[in-house]
Amino acid sequence: MIKSYIKSHPITFTILSLLVFATIILVITALNMKSTGEVEICVAPESATVTIDGKKYQNGTYRLPTGELKVHIEKDGFTSQDLSINNSGANVTKIYAYLVQSDGSMSWYNTHESDALLLNTIGDYLAEKKADEYTEKHPIISSLPIIYANYDENYNYTEYRIDGGSFPECDQDFCLKITDTTGDNLENAKSKIREAGFNPDEYEILYEYLPIIPLE
């Protein structure tokens, strides 16, 4: 019956066979396709060898599989680096790193101008990234410093300021410091912190009374 159908409808059978074949190819291709994302590599020295999941790369932008990438950076005379990078595929994943010489010095960059420029670019990026991570961890930073200086209706003057960061007196990596120049403004300063949308009880607070010294 099948043979007779094929003989009587050869064109139809050929088209159906091609469609089935094309469908199989598309399914196999889809199963083998991997999600990728852009990865930008910027390493100093530029002559360093960058190996990602066993494959070597140079500085530039590539499309690499999403997920965790194992990165190894090496150069003779330098201390190697091993990094684990998550390539989400949503944004450009940046691999910015520099190597330090085995003796701990950076003298190579003093005599190789192009690598020195790369080092500056990488340093700027890493500093900005660290600042962003610090702000993300301590969002109150975006509202600081808070400076209050005001006369009331009776011309009484009040002045204090609130800063944040790591101070020698801090027991943690971040605390708030209230510098009061007119006195008795600790609770007022805490109120200002609440007005900024933060709970002062969640922070280590340093208070310093630093009175204004009149000019003679």
Side-chain angles (χ1 to χ4, degrees), residues 5-78:
Y5 178 82
I6 293 173
K7 290 180 179 180
S8 60
H9 301 84
I11 297 176
T12 302
F13 178 76
T14 301
I15 294 173
L16 289 174
S17 298
L18 290 173
L19 288 174
V20 171
F21 179 74
T23 301
I24 293 173
I25 294 299
L26 288 173
V27 170
I28 293 174
T29 302
L31 291 174
N32 285 283
M33 283 182 63
K34 292 183 178 179
S35 175
T36 62
E38 283 194 338
V39 176
E40 181 183 352
I41 302 171
C42 185
V43 169
E46 190 173 13
S47 54
T49 300
V50 181
T51 305
I52 302 176
D53 290 344
K55 186 177 180 180
K56 293 182 179 180
Y57 295 87
Q58 295 179 328
N59 285 350
T61 302
Y62 306 87
R63 292 204 69 86
L64 299 179
T66 56
E68 187 178 29
L69 303 176
K70 296 295 185 181
V71 184
H72 179 73
I73 308 168
E74 65 178 5
K75 179 178 173 62
D76 288 342
F78 290 77

Side-chain angles (χ1 to χ4, degrees), residues 146-152 156-163 177-195 200 205-212:
I146 297 173
I147 300 173
Y148 185 87
N150 189 52
Y151 287 95
D152 65 14
N156 295 312
Y157 183 63
T158 300
E159 180 180 288
Y160 58 85
R161 66 177 288 149
I162 307 166
D163 297 283
K177 182 174 183 179
I178 299 169
T179 305
D180 187 359
T181 55
T182 53
D184 298 323
N185 287 305
L186 177 59
E187 293 305 318
N188 292 335
K190 289 183 177 181
S191 294
K192 286 296 179 183
I193 294 170
R194 293 188 187 94
E195 288 177 16
I205 294 180
L206 305 175
Y207 176 81
E208 181 181 18
Y209 175 49
L210 196 65
I212 298 173

